[in-house]
Amino acid sequence: MLALPPPARIRALVLAAALLAGSGAAQDPAAPPSPSSGQEVAAEPVAPAAAASPRRDPRPADGRTHRADYVVRARVAEPDKTLEGEATLTWTNGSGEPVADLWFHLYWNAFANNRSTHLWETRGKLGRRNRAEKAADGWGWQRVRSIRFEGQELIGGLTWEQPPDSIPSDRTVFSVDLPRPVAPGETVSVELAWSAQFPRVRRRTGYKDDFLLAAHWIPKLGVYEAGRGWVCHAFHATTEFYASYGTYDVTLDLDERYAGKVGASGVLAGEPQVRDGRVVTRFVAPSADDQARVGRFGRTPLVHGFTWTADPRFAVHEEMFRPGDWLADPRFVRVVGEARAALGEDRLDDLRDVRVKVLIHPERESQWRRHFDATCAALFFYGMWYGAYPYSAVTVVDPAWGARAAGGMEYPTLFTCGTRLFTTPDMHSPESVTIHEAGHQFWYGLVGSNEFEAAWLDEGLNSYTDSEVTAQVYGPRRETTDFGRFPVDGVPLWPRPGGEDLSDALTLRRIPLPFTDFELEPLPESCALDLWRDRPWLTFSPQRTDPRWHDRSRYLREPDADPIDTPGWRYLDRESYSTNSYARTAVALRSLPAVIGQEAFLKGLRHVSEQWRYRHPYPDDFFASFQEGAGVDVQWYFDDMFRGTGTVDWSVEVEQFRRDEPAGWFEDDGGELVLRAEPGREAGDEPGDEDADDDPDDGRPWEVEVLVRRRGELRLPVDVEVRYEDGETERVTWTREQQAASRWLRLRREGRGKVVAVAVDPELRWYVDTDMSNNRWFAKPDRVAPWRWSERVLSRIAHTLHWQSRIGG
């Protein structure tokens, strides 16, 4: 057990006495429990950050760009998984306003009880369930023990804050008033001490056996914005994070079995020290070398968070990402050439080597290189399109078995993935999630948007890009179906009966017992039984899915419930949050080149990423910066696509026939009425049923009418391509202005020849079209394919119902 330095020991004893006496805000009954007695913290006092003196920030002043540096020392006690920590926060006020108080996040209090905003929002059918499952045990909490400012203890003035988006019992945000305001541009230091209990892994943090993931574990300062005050939201079930950039110097004191098996943001600063059954490991983020590097626009690398992980079972692999190898890869000649043409040769020159560390568990160690390769793919393509990754290292974490809730999350220079056994690269697992989370090093890591209020600014831009990268490197995904955790190629053409209470009961899959919480499962999931029932080698269909079109499939699940630009906690439900923040944004971005072209699109995104690096853009900042970089004015597009709920569905119909010869009564040149008969008929004969339209020897010209309809509120310029029998094509653009005047477009053509096909959006550039099945018309449609698919589906239905009627035959 480590001893506190004398001043800190005195402060802790005074604080403990005050707590026992019932003084101060710490007596709030809704607050997390106090740590058990006897827990002590750092072996050495935390030194004030060297940056406490006035310092120049090269980033443009915008009223919300501050500097926040943390020096932290923490000790984790076993077997309780409790943490004691001290930190010195050095903060520079960049708001241009005097600031009289400080607001902090205590994220782990979201797991302290079932009356936190986070867990409250996961209840019920409409609850936004994600990684916060029902918790019968494994609670976690944080408790601040001391806050000192210029030698004065402020803990007695700690106030629990309930932002308008939280519930009254929430304890994830607190504030303290300062003895004096912090002047604009002034740099001050705050000393904090706190205790915490690791939760059982949920919402991407916590422990599982010996596996530890400490994310957002430090009392985290909010972001002060000029004219608005502190932006410090409660921790919601569908929100993430927002913090100022700075540096972190963190020393961790753990049980010695974790020696050499600790990963964290930044890099190791010296070798771990093992003594008295403990290992002390120090990390610095960014590294000292990175902090000395000056990038574009005179900015040095910064981070806005620090996360660490440890597990004695980790297998550790390190290898170097070298961009030159990727630039020379013949698979990517086209896309590299496209980037050079759009962005300029010099924009690719600053790609740098990066050391990639993979921490993976033994049962999946054979996949470590696949994690490495996918990380390199992200570093290369994101770096090429959005500017080089500025840090010397990145850490890739494979969470422990049973700690799935820790997977799939991004932190500065460290991210967690998620994989499985028996997977191959064409299944995109772990490749897809690895590229996505590595991509967050750019959208979130380098461009630090407010994830509470505009989750789409990182999740959506990242979802767009990760699908592009995955498609470039790995191609379409092979779809599989699991039988006892073993993937089998193909997917069923018709779902098994079940899904609702009555249906599940009738099919003996699940029978709830009245007045109890118990359920009977007469036909539970079973590998052998399921194989016997489904016989996938006979009834399943192979399927390959392009990741970019998968984004569209996800978008179609809920395309119009909410605008994309909605704060995370205000979406209708979890499905709407996920659709809008991820897939719908990806689809909207992927469709934008249909208006402005791919080159301008790349320029616009590159300009945003450079202008807002280490800063905090909001949606209007993104829209303005993109248009400035692309050299276009498409505010109407952003308003319609990101701030509306409109959809669009184009369809096409065609009628065509041979032009009739003149028949009937006509005036001749002398004014007399003359009866003209169709060729081959005498005047007065009744018309026959002959249809000579398809006769190739019929010399009559064709009359064609193409009708294009628009359903929905979106008005987007779309091409219509008409292909004639002789191979000639005609293309017409249906403009926004024309669509404003009418919801339909009629094209009449005479004498051009027979039309064999018509396509709306022939290049499939508009991913937002909600029904593409009606975008094509063919003079001779395929009559066989529908029957083939129908036969397969009906066979599958008959087979399933036969099996079910006999309970397995």
Side-chain angles (χ1 to χ4, degrees):
M1 189 171 290
L2 302 176
L4 287 166
R9 183 188 299 276
I10 294 171
R11 293 198 302 271
L13 291 173
V14 171
L15 177 61
L19 290 172
L20 291 173
S23 63
Q27 282 296 309
D28 190 320
S34 300
S36 58
S37 61
Q39 295 175 333
E40 298 178 335
V41 286
E44 300 172 4
V46 176
S53 58
R55 51 193 174 185
R56 177 184 172 275
D57 193 331
R59 296 171 293 172
D62 55 18
R64 55 181 180 268
T65 298
H66 312 278
R67 177 75 179 262
D69 298 326
Y70 291 80
V71 178
V72 184
R73 188 175 181 93
R75 181 182 192 277
V76 176
E78 301 286 352
D80 300 335
K81 301 293 191 295
T82 55
L83 180 147
E84 300 290 325
E86 288 191 347
T88 297
L89 162 65
T90 303
W91 182 65
T92 300
N93 176 10
S95 69
E97 300 176 353
V99 177
D101 58 358
L102 300 177
W103 287 44
F104 291 85
H105 296 279
L106 290 178
Y107 286 110
W108 284 13
N109 282 350
F111 316 118
N113 53 56
N114 63 0
R115 290 299 183 270
S116 70
T117 298
H118 183 93
L119 292 184
W120 186 259
E121 289 178 343
T122 65
R123 71 200 189 286
K125 289 187 177 180
L126 292 180
R128 288 163 257 189
R129 297 184 184 277
N130 44 26
R131 299 165 192 258
E133 301 170 357
K134 289 184 178 180
D137 55 14
W139 303 107
W141 47 261
Q142 287 172 298
R143 185 71 171 270
V144 177
R145 297 184 287 105
S146 175
I147 309 174
R148 297 185 65 83
F149 177 84
E150 296 180 344
Q152 184 171 341
E153 179 60 65
L154 306 180
I155 190 66
L158 184 149
T159 301
W160 296 111
E161 299 289 350
Q162 277 77 43
D165 50 288
S166 72
I167 63 174
S169 55
D170 187 84
R171 294 294 181 267
T172 59
V173 177
F174 75 89
S175 69
V176 289
D177 291 332
L178 298 175
R180 63 170 184 83
V182 180
E186 183 182 4
T187 298
V188 297
S189 291
V190 180
E191 297 174 38
L192 300 119
W194 80 99
S195 304
Q197 169 68 61
F198 274 82
R200 173 65 171 80
V201 165
R202 60 174 61 92
R203 193 66 199 275
R204 305 160 172 143
T205 196
Y207 75 91
K208 167 62 168 64
D209 299 329
D210 289 333
F211 171 75
L212 299 174
L213 179 65
H216 302 286
W217 56 289
I218 304 167
K220 197 73 174 291
L221 187 68
V223 179
Y224 187 92
E225 297 186 357
R228 185 179 180 188
W230 286 101
V231 178
C232 198
H233 292 285
F235 189 13
H236 292 271
T238 52
T239 60
E240 291 179 340
F241 314 104
Y242 182 39
S244 295
Y245 284 93
T247 62
Y248 288 76
D249 186 333
V250 178
T251 301
L252 302 173
D253 183 345
L254 306 174
D255 187 271
E256 66 177 344
R257 70 183 186 280
Y258 291 107
K261 302 301 179 74
V262 183
S265 299
V267 299
L268 274 171
E271 292 298 317
Q273 302 298 310
V274 179
R275 61 179 181 271
D276 300 329
R278 308 289 297 179
V279 59
V280 177
T281 311
R282 180 178 171 229
F283 292 89
V284 176
S287 70
D289 289 342
D290 288 342
Q291 293 183 43
R293 289 171 61 102
V294 178
R296 291 184 182 274
F297 313 113
R299 302 173 198 170
T300 56
L302 300 170
V303 296
H304 51 51
F306 184 95
T307 294
W308 61 272
T309 185
D311 193 332
R313 298 181 65 245
F314 274 145
V316 182
H317 295 271
E318 290 191 26
E319 195 157 323
M320 193 69 73
F321 159 68
R322 302 189 187 281
D325 297 340
W326 289 75
L327 285 168
D329 193 318
R331 294 176 297 167
F332 311 130
V333 169
R334 182 193 62 80
V335 70
V336 169
E338 184 181 75
R340 290 187 188 277
L343 306 175
E345 292 286 338
D346 64 320
R347 287 296 194 268
L348 276 64
D349 292 341
D350 55 356
L351 295 175
R352 62 175 296 184
D353 292 355
V354 178
R355 182 167 298 281
V356 180
K357 176 187 286 189
V358 179
L359 304 178
I360 196 165
H361 283 84
E363 64 271 23
R364 296 184 289 269
E365 188 174 2
S366 62
Q367 297 183 24
W368 82 265
R369 181 161 289 280
R370 289 171 59 188
H371 285 77
F372 168 79
D373 289 342
T375 303
C376 292
L379 292 174
F380 174 68
F381 283 98
Y382 282 74
M384 177 176 68
W385 289 327
Y386 308 133
Y389 181 77
Y391 313 110
S392 59
V394 65
T395 300
V396 186
V397 180
D398 167 46
W401 183 87
R404 182 180 179 183
M409 187 57 193
E410 68 278 3
Y411 306 100
T413 77
L414 177 148
F415 61 91
T416 64
C417 302
T419 186
R420 52 171 295 169
L421 299 177
F422 316 116
T423 177
T424 56
D426 61 354
M427 292 168 61
H428 295 182
S429 176
E431 285 75 13
S432 178
V433 67
T434 302
I435 291 172
H436 181 87
E437 303 307 336
H440 271 304
Q441 299 302 315
F442 295 79
W443 298 113
Y444 152 81
L446 299 179
V447 180
S449 54
N450 180 344
E451 293 182 295
F452 289 96
E453 299 179 17
W456 65 269
L457 271 176
D458 74 293
E459 296 294 356
L461 271 73
N462 192 33
S463 293
Y464 159 78
T465 314
D466 78 58
S467 293
E468 296 291 330
V469 175
T470 304
Q472 289 285 343
V473 180
Y474 296 101
R477 183 180 67 210
R478 177 170 64 93
E479 303 296 346
T480 61
T481 303
D482 278 2
F483 290 88
R485 296 187 180 274
F486 289 90
V488 174
D489 191 33
V491 295
L493 298 175
W494 183 68
R496 287 184 285 127
E500 298 293 338
D501 289 344
L502 178 59
S503 180
D504 282 350
L506 292 175
T507 55
L508 301 182
R509 293 177 62 185
R510 183 176 57 86
I511 304 176
L513 295 181
F515 312 111
T516 73
D517 292 331
F518 296 101
E519 297 175 343
L520 296 178
E521 296 183 0
L523 290 179
E525 296 292 329
S526 163
C527 178
L529 191 64
D530 292 349
L531 280 170
W532 177 25
R533 177 198 63 217
D534 291 339
R535 301 179 190 179
W537 50 88
L538 297 175
T539 63
F540 281 20
S541 173
Q543 182 172 313
R544 301 294 185 270
T545 304
D546 187 306
R548 295 164 292 195
W549 288 99
H550 180 63
D551 288 339
R552 178 176 176 270
S553 298
R554 293 174 59 199
Y555 153 69
L556 292 178
R557 294 175 189 171
E558 195 151 12
D560 56 1
D562 293 294
I564 291 174
D565 190 16
T566 298
W569 66 91
R570 288 183 183 164
Y571 287 108
L572 171 65
D573 52 25
R574 173 69 184 179
E575 186 71 30
S576 179
Y577 161 77
S578 176
T579 297
N580 283 284
S581 297
Y582 293 77
R584 189 175 171 210
T585 302
V587 165
L589 290 170
R590 191 165 288 117
S591 297
L592 183 51
V595 180
I596 65 174
Q598 184 67 16
E599 182 172 314
F601 179 75
L602 290 177
K603 288 180 178 178
L605 288 182
R606 180 59 171 254
H607 187 67
V608 174
S609 66
E610 290 184 341
Q611 185 178 41
W612 289 95
R613 182 165 284 205
Y614 314 126
R615 298 171 64 203
H616 309 295
Y618 276 88
D620 283 332
D621 301 313
F622 172 81
F623 300 149
S625 181
F626 179 92
Q627 292 176 91
E628 180 181 67
V632 298
D633 180 2
V634 286
Q635 188 61 45
W636 63 267
Y637 185 88
F638 292 128
D639 290 340
D640 289 351
M641 296 296 296
F642 291 81
R643 287 176 169 156
T645 58
T647 59
V648 66
D649 171 26
W650 293 293
S651 64
V652 61
E653 307 164 29
V654 177
E655 285 190 48
Q656 61 179 344
F657 41 84
R658 296 279 190 180
R659 181 187 299 167
D660 292 332
E661 294 292 342
W665 292 94
F666 293 87
E667 259 189 20
D668 63 12
D669 294 340
E672 297 292 330
L673 290 176
V674 178
L675 178 63
R676 295 187 182 180
E678 295 181 35
R681 297 196 182 95
E682 296 295 333
D685 287 349
E686 291 295 328
D689 297 328
E690 294 84 5
D691 184 2
D693 284 357
D694 289 325
D695 183 356
D697 296 327
D698 191 330
R700 291 177 297 162
W702 285 91
E703 293 186 0
V704 180
E705 183 174 286
V706 176
L707 180 63
V708 183
R709 297 177 185 270
R710 174 179 61 86
R711 296 174 178 85
E713 298 77 26
L714 289 178
R715 294 182 291 109
L716 304 166
V718 65
D719 289 340
V720 180
E721 184 179 88
V722 181
R723 182 157 53 93
Y724 295 93
E725 194 172 31
D726 61 3
E728 293 292 324
T729 61
E730 176 188 3
R731 183 166 294 204
V732 175
T733 299
W734 191 14
T735 66
R736 294 186 68 245
E737 293 73 21
Q738 290 170 329
Q739 292 182 49
S742 175
R743 285 182 170 268
W744 52 267
L745 172 70
R746 179 176 282 120
L747 304 176
R748 289 192 175 98
R749 299 293 184 265
E750 297 183 10
R752 289 288 302 270
K754 182 180 180 180
V755 171
V756 295
V758 179
V760 179
D761 184 24
E763 278 86 23
L764 300 177
R765 297 186 299 172
W766 286 114
Y767 289 73
V768 295
D769 190 341
T770 58
D771 183 2
M772 290 186 171
S773 67
N774 55 15
N775 284 20
R776 299 291 189 272
W777 178 90
F778 298 95
K780 293 183 177 180
D782 187 343
R783 304 291 186 187
V784 177
W787 283 106
R788 291 179 60 239
W789 283 105
S790 298
E791 183 273 332
R792 298 189 69 176
V793 171
L794 290 172
S795 296
R796 163 76 174 169
I797 294 172
H799 172 80
T800 301
L801 294 178
H802 175 75
W803 187 93
Q804 199 75 45
S805 68
R806 300 297 182 90
I807 313 300

